[in-house]
Amino acid sequence: SSELTQDPAVSVALGQTVRITCQGDSLRIYYVSWYQQKPGQAPVLVIFGKNNRPSGIPDRFSGSRSGNTASLTITGAQAEDEADYYCMSRDSSGNHYVFGSGTTVTV
Amino acid sequence: QVQLQESGPGLVKPSETLSLSCTVSGGSISSYYWTWIRQPPGKGLEWIGHISYSGITNYSPSLRRRATISVDTSKNQFSLKLTSVTATDTAVYFCARGYSYGPGLGFDYWGQGILVTVS
């Protein structure tokens, strides 16, 4: 099992807001990066650090952290946001990296 | 625009060594953390390990004894070798560029992935 726990699936109505969470002890110290993956494609970085978006990522994607939980929020979800989302951070030792178990978002 | 491209055999026999290369174009390989990630069919992502711009490697504890990542700066390539493979190593293997933002990494460029079947 992953050291970073995510809900397996969430659904959101078109135009509404959805929050995807990632829990792990290491998140009390380290930030996560978030990845969007559509079927048959490589993942795409959508958020890294405190709340940074790479160039080209819409501003409806935002990140936050509280305690041992990191969140990715999609405000005004679009049909094209339907995908799997993975968090990634350091493991509990702080020496290696680990992905969360992934969340399937249905719009 | 940075691009990464995996290459290597798509079929490996059990107990043999899986060998993949990743060619980086549009940017120098002399910086960043060059990373291998895999994804078994229908499952989630697994970080395998990376090699830094200074040649320091870091591997997943579960794969440390079998994985070796190396870099050839003259070819702008980095490589993965995974020994003693079994069917559980069947996966899509991605190479990616790790960008350091302080204490963390973000994988900002990815290859398209290559399916390797162990059979």
Side-chain angles (χ1 to χ4, degrees):
Chain A
S1 62
S2 176
E3 293 190 28
L4 298 180
T5 302
Q6 299 181 240
D7 291 330
V10 296
S11 60
V12 58
L14 188 67
Q16 297 303 300
T17 297
V18 62
R19 175 173 291 181
I20 306 158
T21 59
C22 174
Q23 285 189 304
D25 289 340
S26 65
L27 303 189
R28 295 185 185 278
I29 302 172
Y30 302 107
Y31 286 109
V32 302
S33 50
W34 288 97
Y35 301 85
Q36 176 194 69
Q37 187 181 32
K38 297 181 180 179
Q41 298 183 17
V44 173
L45 176 66
V46 295
I47 291 287
F48 66 95
K50 190 173 184 179
N51 182 19
N52 301 292
R53 282 178 288 105
S55 174
I57 301 301
D59 61 6
R60 63 178 179 271
F61 291 90
S62 62
S64 61
R65 183 183 70 172
S66 178
N68 72 336
T69 301
S71 299
L72 173 70
T73 300
I74 308 175
T75 303
Q78 301 299 303
E80 61 263 33
D81 300 334
E82 189 162 285
D84 293 330
Y85 290 84
Y86 295 90
C87 59
M88 195 284 295
S89 188
R90 289 182 182 263
D91 67 4
S92 54
S93 75
N95 295 322
H96 311 290
Y97 293 87
V98 63
F99 283 93
S101 45
T103 298
T104 298
V105 172
T106 301
V107 180
Chain B
Q1 177 75 347
V2 175
Q3 293 185 321
L4 288 77
Q5 179 69 59
E6 303 91 349
S7 59
L11 182 64
V12 181
K13 290 182 169 57
S15 81
E16 295 190 344
T17 296
L18 178 159
S19 295
L20 296 174
S21 293
C22 180
T23 301
V24 180
S25 58
S28 173
I29 204 168
S30 298
S31 300
Y32 304 102
Y33 293 81
W34 301 99
T35 304
W36 287 98
I37 294 157
R38 69 180 182 180
Q39 185 171 37
K43 297 189 178 181
L45 299 168
E46 180 182 18
W47 177 79
I48 298 171
H50 67 231
I51 187 165
S52 74
Y53 53 87
S54 58
I56 297 173
T57 52
N58 187 357
Y59 300 105
S60 166
S62 65
L63 294 170
R64 180 187 295 121
R65 284 185 292 180
R66 297 195 293 129
T68 301
I69 298 174
S70 59
V71 64
D72 186 339
T73 54
S74 67
K75 295 182 180 179
N76 244 34
Q77 280 185 346
F78 63 106
S79 300
L80 169 69
K81 290 188 186 299
L82 189 65
T83 61
S84 305
V85 297
T86 69
T88 58
D89 294 310
T90 294
V92 175
Y93 286 75
F94 295 100
C95 58
R97 188 180 83 168
Y99 163 77
S100 175
Y101 58 93
L105 280 185
F107 303 123
D108 56 354
Y109 290 96
W110 295 65
Q112 65 185 22
I114 182 169
L115 174 62
V116 179
T117 302
V118 178
S119 177

